[in-house]
Amino acid sequence: MRLVKYVTLLLLAVVFAKPSMAQATDDPTSWKYEVKKKSGNEYELIFHLDIKQGWHIWSLHPGGDGYEIAPSFTLDPNPKVKLKGKVSEKGKPTTTKMEGIEGKITYLSGKIDYIQNITVNGPTKIKGKHMYQVCNDKMCLAPKDKEFEVEVK
């Protein structure tokens, strides 16, 4: 009888602990996607990121000891879309030394735009995914993948 009581208490503890753990690690990011025409068939694919206060994302070139996971952006193959150059970032970078990390590191907070210049030949949908990791002063969340889709008319 005692064993049943302990197993029941253990199951209840697991059931109630799981939601509280999820709340502690909610993704503090909000992403929006845009295609902005520059001229002719030249466009900018823009990833707008807004990070909650107290959190940051590593720069595309974070420096440090190599353990910092920089954001990456991948487009699904599309014969109507050609990449021009590499993704750039616009935001307010912070470069500093951080305890436990060798060398200086660079990260961004607040509102950040990632921009990929592209050439688009005709109306199409651009699909893909991006991967990123966010951290605060106590921890980093596990890297996360997000899919995106935008339409060029």
Side-chain angles (χ1 to χ4, degrees):
M1 195 59 140
R2 274 186 155 179
L3 182 58
V4 172
K5 186 177 183 179
Y6 289 122
V7 170
T8 303
L9 287 173
L10 180 62
L11 287 173
L12 285 172
V14 169
V15 168
F16 288 109
K18 192 173 183 180
S20 64
M21 285 171 47
Q23 288 175 354
T25 58
D26 282 346
D27 185 353
T29 66
S30 173
W31 293 86
K32 293 183 181 169
Y33 313 99
E34 173 186 14
V35 175
K36 186 175 181 181
K37 187 170 187 158
K38 290 171 68 175
S39 65
N41 63 351
E42 305 291 316
Y43 292 82
E44 289 180 332
L45 174 57
I46 306 170
F47 300 80
H48 299 286
L49 169 60
D50 191 3
I51 304 177
K52 289 182 182 175
Q53 188 173 353
W55 291 87
H56 65 263
I57 189 167
W58 298 114
S59 168
L60 291 172
H61 307 285
D65 52 18
Y67 292 105
E68 298 71 34
I69 299 172
S72 63
F73 303 85
T74 307
L75 275 59
D76 292 349
N78 183 331
K80 292 185 175 186
V81 179
K82 289 190 178 151
L83 302 179
K84 293 184 68 182
K86 296 183 178 192
V87 175
S88 63
E89 63 191 9
K90 286 188 180 177
K92 187 177 176 187
T94 299
T95 301
T96 187
K97 294 275 294 165
M98 193 175 278
E99 187 177 333
I101 298 176
E102 276 188 40
K104 289 186 176 182
I105 49 92
T106 303
Y107 61 85
L108 296 102
S109 303
K111 294 183 185 298
I112 302 128
D113 285 340
Y114 296 98
I115 302 164
Q116 173 67 64
N117 289 308
I118 55 176
T119 302
V120 181
N121 294 309
T124 190
K125 286 186 180 176
I126 301 172
K127 297 179 183 180
K129 70 178 181 177
H130 54 98
M131 187 275 304
Y132 61 96
Q133 181 180 44
V134 292
C135 306
N136 62 21
D137 63 347
K138 294 184 173 72
M139 67 175 182
C140 289
L141 300 181
K144 186 168 186 129
D145 287 319
K146 277 201 178 177
E147 294 183 356
F148 69 91
E149 179 179 322
V150 291
E151 190 170 352
V152 179
K153 297 182 180 183

